[in-house]
Amino acid sequence: MTPEPGVRLRHRHLLGIEPLDAGEIGLILDTAESFLEISTRPIKKVPTLRGRTIVNLFMEPSTRTRSSFEIAEKRLSADSLNFSVSGSSVSKGESLLDTARNLEAMAPDMIVVRHSAAGAPHMLARACRSIIVNAGDGAHEHPTQALLDAFTMRQKKGKLAGLKVAIVGDLLHSRVVRSNIFLLGKVGAEVHVSGPPTLIPPGLDRLGVKVVTRMETALEGADVIMMLRVQRERMVRGAFPSVREYFNLYGLTEERVRLARKDVIVMHPGPINRGVEIAAEVADGPTSVILDQVTNGVAVRMAVLYLLSGGAGSELAS
Amino acid sequence: MNWLLKGGRVVDPAARLDAVRDVLVRDGKIVRVGESIPADNSRVLDLKGKVVAPGFIDMHVHLREPGREDEETMESGGAAAAAGGFTSIAVMPNTDPWNDSQSVTEYIVSQARSRCPVNVYPIGCVSKQGKGEELAEIGDMVKSGIVAISDDGHPVASAHLMRMALEYTRIFGIPVIDHCEERSLSCGGVMHEGFHSTLLGLKGAPAASEEILVARDLILAEMTGGRIHIAHLSTRRSLEKVREAKARGIAVTCEVTPHHFSLTDAAVAESHYDTNTKMNPPLREESDRQAMLQGLADGTVDAIASDHAPHNRIEKEMEFDQAPFGILGLETSVSLALDRLFHAGLLDLTRLVGLYTTSPARILGLERGTLAAGVPADITVLDLEKSVSVDQGGFRSKSRNAPYQGWKLRGAPVLTMVGGRIAFDGRS
Ligand SMILES: [Zn+2]
Ligand SMILES: [Zn+2]
């Protein structure tokens, strides 16, 4: 599949899904399809980003997202450098801007940033010359996750418009949920969210989603169920009484999956807490597409890096 | 130096005066306000077309001295105040050390007298080191010149301590100024909790965290007969509670900041996490902002105070949730009020001038805020039509943390006289 000529990313950085329009989202997903094939070749590498330097600045631990970006960069032949929080000087009290200025001295073409503070990528975009890719900022956005989620939905369902997507769990601390709500709204999917009221941030309904406290209501007739990780490390104390009670009210069991459409797919951004937000049988069962999400993540990130680095001019695949 | 301020429109709410008059100043005091006063041997300032008002008072300023002279000093804060049209400022005690004892109060008073171009009125702590545990030596500090007590920066968390403060200050007749925030509810919030905090993924502080403490303070003020002043009131319901309490005769007053009547929490999103939109209390919603405008117009709000909070660049250049709260206010307050309140048709000039003069003087018990014969010649001159483009590069303050860069405003202070001496002259 070749991207429609003339459609380009209008933004220099990928700071979030919110600023994108449906055309740009479509372009990224279409581009990712051509990259998916590369991962099936015996030699999984193209010279597209040869000579480009990409810094992976991970100021919050995240093995999965970092590995996915690293693989994407390697398959595009970019030179990548990893800065993670434990190894960097951040722990010595150096500010994000100091770190960014030091990185700039190495003249990277792109910086992929993961940070525990919402807005950190925006700050870098103001301070640096490099192209910034948001790999997750606090409880704000995680745009490449939403893109790979959408890619997976489109892959399994053949479309995005008109899908009923149920998102369940810790909505308050999730950056995945914001990016997904923005994206699904832009492409015409219908989003229903559910979770304990203590974990629903105010004004979500103003983003065009249906908010219900009973999980079962959200699941009824869903094409897609997306479970969110219970982020116990970020949890406000007292948001729910116990993990056991949480699972009873909001855990995804096989019985609850049956409320959705027969051909429902179950998604999860990982890492999974089996027995907390999702039953092991569901996570590993036939409706689960969790591992496809991981595979697709590499192709989507390749597409993002490729398009942001100038796309059209360079050769896509040899 | 003797001055004759000639031909200005004199607006003195205390004297119920709004007319073209001359003002005669001799030996640092106002001698007379009248029609066509002869110049004799005084220097004449032609103020035709300008507004001549009693010297403006900002009753909520953080001067940072002693302790953080890198952010603001007596000189820089005083120059900023004078350029902003203020002749007097009341300074909060959360310095380093806290102003919780007679010796710190005396240090501030003596330093201000020799180094600050405007009058400085210290506010003492409610509690020792602002820790909220036991009362500071309020009587001693009153002797040395404090005009109110506050643990601003922190709320007075303990209801018992607030009760003690309200009862004890009845000896001196000074108000207790509270930063109303129930911290077990706002815990860790970095902006107003609402649609925009949800959109931005930032931890919110709900309006209720302010309202709960306002309600508590009003109940305690009624119980004790003490005087409570609500600092930087910012929510619609806080204002309703104050309005009800005033109607019932409770001794309560309140102030509103220019940022709370000119900005909302949407500014955090629109500025893409600019830490100059981070303050405490946070910028609220449009309905709250409208309520502030209403309260300013109907008299529920007693004073406009800037909560001038200088922070150095490095501290504000942090991730949003790690940056300190607070913005500058001295140099933009009056233009914001003229543009957004007077020119917007919400307030007449007498009411606006009263918010900066008569009311804060009454709340703090200052013999200022009027142009009556015999009082120190503190005078603020306004040009209602001067167009201002906010440029923080030109601020007198040592810090730069303001969210108004590039704003175009109509109306500005153009001359400030403190005790008969010109502290700022911006007439062109
Ligand atoms: Zn305060
Ligand atoms: Zn303050």
Side-chain angles (χ1 to χ4, degrees):
Chain A
M1 184 177 284
T2 40
E4 220 178 292
V7 186
R8 279 165 183 255
L9 293 183
R10 292 181 298 115
H11 299 86
R12 197 171 117 72
H13 310 284
L14 181 67
L15 300 179
I17 297 294
E18 198 191 3
L20 302 183
D21 63 29
E24 292 170 291
I25 291 164
L27 173 64
I28 295 170
L29 300 186
D30 292 347
T31 309
E33 286 209 39
S34 31
F35 282 119
L36 195 60
E37 178 266 333
I38 293 170
S39 304
T40 63
R41 295 181 189 173
I43 296 170
K44 305 175 178 58
K45 209 168 172 107
V46 289
T48 314
L49 294 185
R50 186 183 289 153
R52 309 283 182 110
T53 305
I54 302 179
V55 168
N56 299 313
L57 178 61
F58 276 65
M59 298 174 88
E60 180 188 71
S62 162
T63 316
R64 299 163 67 98
T65 304
R66 204 198 58 207
S67 312
S68 182
F69 269 106
E70 267 185 67
I71 294 168
E73 289 153 10
K74 290 203 164 69
R75 289 191 181 161
L76 292 169
S77 307
D79 298 321
S80 52
L81 284 150
N82 292 317
F83 280 78
S84 52
V85 69
S86 50
S88 87
S89 46
V90 177
S91 40
K92 290 181 233 145
E94 188 177 289
S95 79
L96 173 61
L97 276 190
D98 288 334
T99 307
R101 286 183 188 121
N102 280 310
L103 291 176
E104 280 274 289
M106 301 174 204
D109 297 286
M110 291 193 198
I111 300 175
V112 176
V113 59
R114 158 68 65 97
H115 200 289
S116 60
H122 304 72
M123 203 172 143
L124 287 180
R126 272 198 294 269
C128 298
R129 282 184 302 274
S130 316
I131 294 162
I132 307 297
V133 180
N134 182 356
D137 62 327
H140 179 226
E141 282 223 43
H142 192 353
T144 57
Q145 178 70 43
L147 287 161
L148 77 88
D149 290 341
F151 185 87
T152 308
M153 287 179 217
R154 198 174 77 165
Q155 184 181 52
K156 305 292 174 189
K157 298 285 164 192
K159 61 169 186 178
L160 289 172
L163 287 183
K164 179 183 173 180
V165 181
I167 307 180
V168 181
D170 176 2
L171 305 161
L172 182 64
H173 299 97
S174 173
R175 49 188 158 225
V176 175
V177 76
R178 282 172 185 72
S179 289
N180 263 294
I181 287 174
F182 293 138
L183 191 153
L184 293 168
K186 287 170 199 279
V187 298
E190 191 187 308
V191 181
H192 297 243
V193 302
S194 182
T198 47
L199 292 175
I200 300 177
L204 258 195
D205 49 332
R206 280 174 63 188
L207 294 173
V209 305
K210 206 152 174 56
V211 184
V212 291
T213 47
R214 259 188 91 250
M215 178 190 190
E216 288 78 4
T217 315
L219 297 187
E220 268 160 35
D223 297 288
V224 177
I225 301 172
M226 185 184 295
M227 297 306 293
L228 298 174
R229 177 179 162 75
V230 172
Q231 305 198 41
R232 275 179 287 183
E233 67 280 6
R234 291 174 189 273
M235 195 59 63
V236 184
R237 244 177 307 168
F240 53 82
S242 67
V243 162
R244 201 180 60 83
E245 183 158 320
Y246 183 89
F247 185 74
N248 285 339
L249 290 167
Y250 295 100
L252 188 64
T253 57
E254 284 182 317
E255 196 189 349
R256 284 184 172 134
V257 171
R258 282 194 285 274
L259 296 167
R261 286 172 57 101
K262 266 205 177 60
D263 59 349
V264 69
I265 55 170
V266 171
M267 306 178 80
H268 190 297
I272 294 169
N273 297 306
R274 283 187 171 77
V276 179
E277 67 263 355
I278 190 164
E281 314 85 81
V282 177
D284 308 326
T287 55
S288 168
V289 297
I290 296 171
L291 293 175
D292 302 84
Q293 289 175 271
V294 178
T295 307
N296 293 337
V298 174
V300 164
R301 288 175 176 122
M302 287 170 81
V304 165
L305 296 172
Y306 163 77
L307 289 169
L308 287 175
S309 69
S314 43
E315 53 181 321
L316 182 58
S318 59
Chain B
M1 183 72 69
N2 300 330
W3 298 99
L4 181 65
L5 283 63
K6 194 129 194 78
R9 173 180 170 192
V10 175
V11 177
D12 182 2
R16 295 177 191 283
L17 179 67
D18 180 354
V20 173
R21 290 284 185 275
D22 295 346
V23 179
L24 186 63
V25 172
R26 189 169 294 156
D27 302 326
K29 296 212 153 77
I30 308 268
V31 176
R32 188 151 78 87
V33 177
E35 284 175 90
S36 347
I37 300 174
D40 290 336
N41 49 9
S42 21
R43 291 220 356 220
V44 176
L45 288 171
D46 177 14
L47 298 178
K48 211 167 291 147
K50 309 284 196 292
V51 169
V52 177
F56 281 15
I57 300 163
D58 190 333
M59 64 177 294
H60 189 148
V61 171
H62 296 273
L63 209 45
R64 304 293 185 224
E65 189 177 344
R68 285 304 302 267
E69 288 80 358
D70 60 314
E71 294 183 330
E72 201 78 288
T73 60
M74 296 283 172
E75 286 89 353
S76 65
F86 295 99
T87 58
S88 297
I89 54 178
V91 297
M92 283 296 175
N94 60 337
T95 44
D96 184 13
W98 284 75
N99 180 21
D100 65 349
S101 69
Q102 194 164 11
S103 59
V104 182
T105 305
E106 277 169 3
Y107 174 83
I108 293 168
V109 169
S110 71
Q111 292 300 309
R113 196 165 290 151
S114 59
R115 294 168 43 216
C116 188
V118 302
N119 307 306
V120 171
Y121 291 99
I123 295 168
C125 283
V126 172
S127 65
K128 290 182 181 135
Q129 291 167 43
K131 281 187 174 159
E133 286 159 10
E134 37 179 349
L135 289 180
E137 291 176 332
I138 299 162
D140 277 356
M141 291 191 288
V142 168
K143 255 186 247 159
S144 298
I146 64 160
V147 292
I149 55 169
S150 180
D151 278 352
D152 184 53
H154 304 312
V156 178
S158 151
H160 170 72
L161 188 74
M162 179 51 94
R163 174 193 175 168
M164 294 296 121
L166 285 164
E167 285 181 343
Y168 193 68
T169 48
R170 284 171 51 201
I171 310 173
F172 316 105
I174 60 171
V176 181
I177 302 176
D178 200 13
H179 168 124
C180 291
E181 181 186 354
E182 174 51 58
R183 292 224 160 135
S184 69
L185 188 56
S186 63
C187 58
V190 296
M191 70 176 290
H192 174 67
E193 180 183 301
F195 176 67
H196 288 286
S197 65
T198 293
L199 207 59
L200 294 169
L202 289 172
K203 176 129 181 32
S209 64
E210 173 176 315
E211 292 149 2
I212 286 169
L213 239 62
V214 169
R216 182 204 71 176
D217 285 356
L218 293 171
I219 290 167
L220 291 172
E222 182 166 27
M223 167 186 162
T224 58
R227 282 176 58 203
I228 186 77
H229 176 80
I230 311 296
H232 43 52
L233 181 146
S234 72
T235 86
R236 179 172 55 81
R237 278 193 212 88
S238 294
L239 194 76
E240 281 167 10
K241 286 181 175 35
V242 168
R243 194 179 279 128
E244 288 161 19
K246 282 187 164 188
R248 289 183 33 227
I250 297 170
V252 56
T253 50
C254 68
E255 71 195 26
V256 163
T257 70
H259 43 277
H260 288 117
F261 70 65
S262 63
L263 284 164
T264 67
D265 59 347
V268 186
E270 281 156 12
S271 70
H272 301 288
Y273 299 90
D274 182 351
T275 56
N276 289 323
T277 61
K278 180 176 176 181
M279 57 280 275
N280 190 7
L283 296 172
R284 303 290 187 185
E285 295 173 15
E286 180 60 15
S287 61
D288 298 303
R289 192 182 76 87
Q290 290 296 335
M292 296 309 110
L293 295 175
Q294 180 58 41
L296 285 157
D298 70 17
T300 308
V301 176
D302 296 276
I304 295 173
S306 70
D307 196 5
H308 181 79
H311 288 293
N312 75 28
R313 192 177 52 82
I314 292 160
E315 286 183 341
K316 272 289 194 185
E317 271 184 1
M318 298 285 284
E319 294 82 329
F320 195 90
D321 49 16
Q322 285 164 39
F325 292 101
I327 61 162
L328 299 180
L330 282 168
E331 290 172 80
T332 45
S333 175
V334 174
S335 286
L336 285 164
L338 287 172
D339 187 273
R340 299 301 158 101
L341 305 175
F342 172 70
H343 285 300
L346 291 158
L347 260 60
D348 64 20
L349 214 48
T350 299
R351 172 96 192 107
L352 186 143
V353 171
L355 285 160
Y356 281 109
T357 56
T358 337
S359 285
R362 175 174 45 80
I363 295 165
L364 301 176
L366 315 180
E367 283 175 26
R368 296 187 189 271
T370 170
L371 296 174
V375 306
D378 290 356
I379 295 169
T380 295
V381 178
L382 308 172
D383 181 339
L384 298 180
E385 298 305 324
K386 182 171 180 168
S387 59
V388 177
S389 178
V390 179
D391 173 21
Q392 53 191 25
F395 281 174
R396 269 80 169 171
S397 172
K398 266 198 162 184
S399 294
R400 291 289 170 267
N401 50 309
Y404 303 112
Q405 182 63 24
W407 280 37
K408 305 256 185 291
L409 300 169
R410 185 173 163 205
V414 289
L415 186 122
T416 310
M417 183 177 279
V418 181
R421 281 215 311 264
I422 291 178
F424 167 73
D425 189 351
R427 293 173 304 157
S428 43

